Amino acid sequence: MQNPVTVEVTRGKLVESRHRGMGIVVDGDGKVVFSFGDADAGVFPRSACKAMQALPLVESGAADAYGFGNAELAFSCASHSGEDRHVAMAASMLAKAGKDVSALECGAHWSSDQATVIHQARTIDKPSALHNNCSGKHSGFVCTCVHSGTDVAGYVGYDHPLQREIRDVMQSLTGATLGEDNCGIDGCSIPTYAVPLRGLAHGFAKMLTGQGLSHTRATASRRLMEACMAEPFYVAGTNRACTKLMELAPGKIFAKTGAEGVFVAALPDHDLAMAVKCEDGTTRAAEAMIFALIARYFEKGSETQEKLMSMANRQMHNWNGYHVGDVRVTDVLFA
Amino acid sequence: MQNPVTVEVTRGKLVESRHRGMGIVVDGDGKVVFSFGDADAGVFPRSACKAMQALPLVESGAADAYGFGNAELAFSCASHSGEDRHVAMAASMLAKAGKDVSALECGAHWSSDQATVIHQARTIDKPSALHNNCSGKHSGFVCTCVHSGTDVAGYVGYDHPLQREIRDVMQSLTGATLGEDNCGIDGCSIPTYAVPLRGLAHGFAKMLTGQGLSHTRATASRRLMEACMAEPFYVAGTNRACTKLMELAPGKIFAKTGAEGVFVAALPDHDLAMAVKCEDGTTRAAEAMIFALIARYFEKGSETQEKLMSMANRQMHNWNGYHVGDVRVTDVLFA
């Protein structure tokens, strides 16, 4: 199936670049409310499914045992920019379980956010695993293992009990069979599994509505999503799309991005969840698609809807601040 | 016309993202030697055509008047990373014409190269126009204006004599009609014109071979391309694709990238030039395409050809250094 052009990037009067993509909106029963492109194709959700991967932290009782509130839970679902408050939060979560940075197996990297990497360059010699954009998720993993009495060492491995549990959680939520054939290794070294976009969206709709879930899982799911909506800075950071979306309409939008052009969102007022993937893996297009897709469910002309559409269709400015072109979504998003 | 998938990005055993693109190889007569996708579509060459934009600097006599050698000429065709030697070169060129940073109209920005921005953050308060990736081209523009007795102020404007001259040069080389309808504003504020990829490649084939050009233009063209091949660091910088390509086979490859997934190259031993555009504007795909396209013209199994193919089909490693997937070109490049 040919994915349609969903986002255009213009310069002057012309289209300079085009992005193709797929997307789907489903309810808790898995009923498709809207879709475009090949929503049954397998897609690596990457970091977009972090709230699913954080479920063992809550379901095991570890989060309660360590006294984690909304900020810690939001951070366990985060792809953060490595700002000082993020780094401090990772260290604090690890300390609650008697651990430190040496327990993290995610690797280290400088921030990919320009303002943050400039600050980092001026304040630290080099980044540690605490600065890794996945250090929140990994700190949650370490806490889960310590609380459960499972070996922490090797917690990123395909056969480690924690990754087996996460695999079970994700199979149950997405309805996809996960195994070595659709497994890849993520940037932070844990397994990532390709699942149909439809299943990914349905998994988040189940988490949002609790439909088809045990009471324990439904409660844990809602708690994680509400924590992200309550503490959006800890999910991403300053000027980041996830943070801006969740700050825009508090309690009304859950949103999480993933590498290679994935974005998921859930709308509590509508009992709907959605997922998009840009075919070429570009973030600017994934963002434009999810902004426009979310906007469909806010009243036309309302402040929130207009703000969302101004994020979906935005001006690009050059180094002198001149308006040189636009990123804009196509009619595919409004069919 | 549907552009084919030319580059795939894999993870584990699966394709995670796909890039579509177009490309063309032509000789000095404009004869098409090889092509894929819609090579007649209009494409903004962006920085890929900087060697064309630098022709007035040489043809006017300004380059000789200021004693510019290969390094200065290469730098006048550059999209550089803002490394210290680049910044110093911009200041030096301007000083030859009795000017300084205040004459530049390109705007200022931090380097987009991670190692360089970290160094910049530690050594400067904020970047100036000397750090702009286009400061070499703009320094050349300022020198051209001063030498010709043209007002420097406003040299980026559509109606400024220098931009009129560049428009004439590019019309003549590409065979395309350039005007307000296909004009956009570039990142550095000068006009940029959409031209068919075929015309862009033919323009570089003319520059390489001198076919159809006046003696003055043929000589100036060859001098600029040879300067870039002689001083590849000044065209881009450490670990940058243009620099690596021209260092790989000295004197045998001229190459220049442009924003939004454009790349051009010329091969003196074959009297051929080529241009590619990634439909979605992604650099990783434009690079893979040009590496593979250039490799077609080196002997199979030779060190250069194997190195080019190892750049076209490359492993991706995560923060722990694990091999997680590949960027690879499709059979479209080998038809």
Side-chain angles (χ1 to χ4, degrees):
Chain A
M1 182 182 185
Q2 176 69 52
N3 292 310
V5 172
T6 53
V7 178
E8 294 174 333
V9 180
T10 69
R11 184 164 298 267
K13 300 171 185 167
L14 304 173
V15 175
E16 181 167 21
S17 298
R18 291 171 176 82
H19 298 280
R20 295 169 184 276
M22 50 270 219
I24 190 164
V25 184
V26 303
D27 68 13
D29 288 326
K31 190 181 136 222
V32 179
V33 176
F34 180 65
S35 79
F36 54 89
D38 185 2
D40 290 313
V43 164
F44 286 107
R46 307 291 299 276
S47 294
C49 70
K50 276 178 175 165
M52 295 178 176
Q53 295 166 329
L55 280 166
L57 172 68
V58 179
E59 293 179 2
S60 69
D64 286 331
Y66 298 124
F68 290 169
N70 284 337
E72 287 86 353
L73 292 182
F75 195 57
S76 71
C77 303
S79 301
H80 62 79
S81 294
E83 298 177 61
D84 289 347
R85 287 161 65 198
H86 297 131
V87 176
M89 178 61 88
S92 159
M93 284 176 66
L94 289 166
K96 295 270 177 65
K99 294 288 179 184
D100 63 21
V101 60
S102 64
L104 295 178
E105 299 182 356
C106 49
H109 65 85
W110 292 98
S111 178
S112 55
D113 174 68
Q114 189 182 72
T116 306
V117 75
I118 290 166
H119 173 73
Q120 288 179 338
R122 288 171 171 169
T123 52
I124 60 172
D125 184 40
K126 60 177 185 178
S128 75
L130 297 173
H131 300 83
N132 187 304
N133 77 90
C134 299
S135 71
K137 177 178 71 176
H138 281 250
S139 296
F141 287 169
V142 169
C143 290
T144 306
C145 292
V146 172
H147 178 74
S148 311
T150 315
D151 263 356
V152 173
Y155 72 84
V156 298
Y158 183 88
D159 288 320
H160 186 280
L162 177 63
Q163 297 305 332
R164 287 178 186 270
E165 183 177 355
I166 289 172
R167 190 153 59 240
D168 286 345
V169 167
M170 291 195 59
Q171 283 197 139
S172 165
L173 286 171
T174 64
T177 303
L178 308 183
E180 298 201 340
D181 279 350
N182 56 3
C183 180
I185 301 172
D186 214 325
C188 65
S189 296
I190 70 162
T192 176
Y193 309 92
V195 300
L197 203 60
R198 176 196 298 267
L200 181 64
H202 189 198
F204 277 99
K206 289 181 186 171
M207 287 183 72
L208 180 71
T209 62
Q211 280 175 254
L213 303 185
S214 69
H215 178 71
T216 302
R217 178 149 300 165
T219 306
S221 296
R222 195 64 189 231
R223 187 169 162 197
L224 282 164
M225 295 175 109
E226 284 176 355
C228 291
M229 292 189 283
E231 293 283 357
F233 171 81
Y234 282 106
V235 178
T238 308
N239 288 325
R240 291 276 307 278
C242 294
T243 300
K244 284 196 289 188
L245 273 172
M246 292 192 283
E247 284 175 348
L248 182 62
K252 295 181 182 300
I253 302 170
F254 163 86
K256 183 69 191 75
T257 192
E260 292 292 329
V262 179
F263 225 123
V264 301
L267 307 179
D269 287 355
H270 299 270
D271 288 345
L272 296 174
M274 53 187 69
V276 299
K277 158 83 180 172
C278 173
E279 182 182 274
D280 58 67
T282 302
T283 298
R284 68 179 175 192
E287 291 181 353
M289 286 191 281
I290 204 78
F291 296 156
L293 213 47
I294 294 172
R296 289 174 67 100
Y297 300 96
F298 285 84
E299 191 186 348
K300 197 165 164 62
S302 66
E303 193 181 330
T304 302
Q305 191 264 357
E306 291 193 347
K307 178 77 179 145
L308 285 164
M309 285 313 300
S310 76
M311 292 161 70
N313 297 324
R314 65 180 169 85
Q315 294 189 350
M316 295 189 305
H317 298 91
N318 74 2
W319 304 120
N320 281 322
Y322 301 158
H323 174 207
V324 293
D326 299 287
V327 176
R328 66 186 188 201
V329 292
T330 67
D331 288 346
V332 168
L333 275 294
F334 306 101
Chain B
M1 180 179 185
Q2 175 69 52
N3 292 309
V5 173
T6 54
V7 177
E8 294 174 334
V9 180
T10 69
R11 183 164 299 267
K13 300 170 185 166
L14 305 174
V15 175
E16 181 167 22
S17 297
R18 291 171 176 82
H19 298 281
R20 296 168 185 276
M22 49 272 218
I24 190 164
V25 184
V26 303
D27 67 15
D29 288 326
K31 191 182 136 222
V32 179
V33 175
F34 180 65
S35 79
F36 54 89
D38 186 1
D40 290 312
V43 164
F44 285 108
R46 308 291 300 275
S47 294
C49 70
K50 277 179 175 164
M52 294 178 176
Q53 295 166 330
L55 280 167
L57 173 68
V58 179
E59 293 179 1
S60 69
D64 286 332
Y66 298 124
F68 290 168
N70 284 336
E72 286 85 356
L73 293 181
F75 195 57
S76 71
C77 304
S79 300
H80 63 77
S81 294
E83 298 177 60
D84 288 347
R85 288 161 64 198
H86 297 131
V87 177
M89 178 61 87
S92 160
M93 285 176 66
L94 289 166
K96 295 270 176 64
K99 294 288 179 183
D100 63 19
V101 60
S102 65
L104 295 177
E105 299 182 357
C106 49
H109 65 86
W110 292 98
S111 177
S112 56
D113 174 69
Q114 188 183 72
T116 306
V117 75
I118 290 165
H119 174 73
Q120 287 179 339
R122 288 171 170 168
T123 53
I124 60 172
D125 184 40
K126 62 177 184 177
S128 75
L130 297 174
H131 299 85
N132 187 304
N133 77 91
C134 299
S135 71
K137 177 178 71 177
H138 281 251
S139 296
F141 287 167
V142 170
C143 290
T144 305
C145 292
V146 173
H147 177 75
S148 311
T150 314
D151 263 357
V152 174
Y155 71 84
V156 298
Y158 183 87
D159 289 319
H160 186 279
L162 177 63
Q163 297 306 331
R164 287 178 187 271
E165 182 177 354
I166 289 172
R167 190 153 60 239
D168 286 346
V169 167
M170 291 196 59
Q171 283 198 139
S172 165
L173 286 171
T174 64
T177 303
L178 308 183
E180 297 202 340
D181 279 349
N182 55 3
C183 181
I185 301 171
D186 214 327
C188 66
S189 297
I190 70 164
T192 176
Y193 309 92
V195 299
L197 204 60
R198 176 195 297 267
L200 181 64
H202 190 198
F204 277 98
K206 289 180 187 172
M207 288 183 71
L208 180 71
T209 62
Q211 280 175 252
L213 303 186
S214 68
H215 179 70
T216 301
R217 178 149 300 166
T219 306
S221 296
R222 195 64 187 232
R223 187 170 161 196
L224 282 165
M225 294 174 110
E226 284 176 355
C228 291
M229 292 189 282
E231 294 283 359
F233 171 80
Y234 282 106
V235 178
T238 307
N239 289 324
R240 292 277 305 279
C242 294
T243 301
K244 285 197 287 187
L245 272 173
M246 292 193 282
E247 284 175 348
L248 182 63
K252 295 180 183 300
I253 303 170
F254 164 85
K256 184 69 191 77
T257 192
E260 292 293 328
V262 179
F263 226 122
V264 301
L267 307 179
D269 289 355
H270 298 271
D271 288 344
L272 295 174
M274 54 188 70
V276 300
K277 158 82 180 173
C278 173
E279 182 182 274
D280 58 68
T282 302
T283 298
R284 68 179 175 191
E287 291 182 353
M289 286 192 279
I290 203 77
F291 297 156
L293 212 49
I294 295 172
R296 289 172 67 99
Y297 300 96
F298 284 85
E299 189 185 348
K300 198 168 161 64
S302 66
E303 194 182 328
T304 302
Q305 191 264 358
E306 291 193 347
K307 179 75 178 146
L308 285 163
M309 286 312 302
S310 76
M311 291 160 70
N313 297 322
R314 66 180 169 84
Q315 295 188 352
M316 295 189 305
H317 298 90
N318 74 1
W319 304 119
N320 281 320
Y322 301 158
H323 174 207
V324 294
D326 299 286
V327 176
R328 67 186 187 201
V329 292
T330 68
D331 288 347
V332 168
L333 275 294
F334 306 102

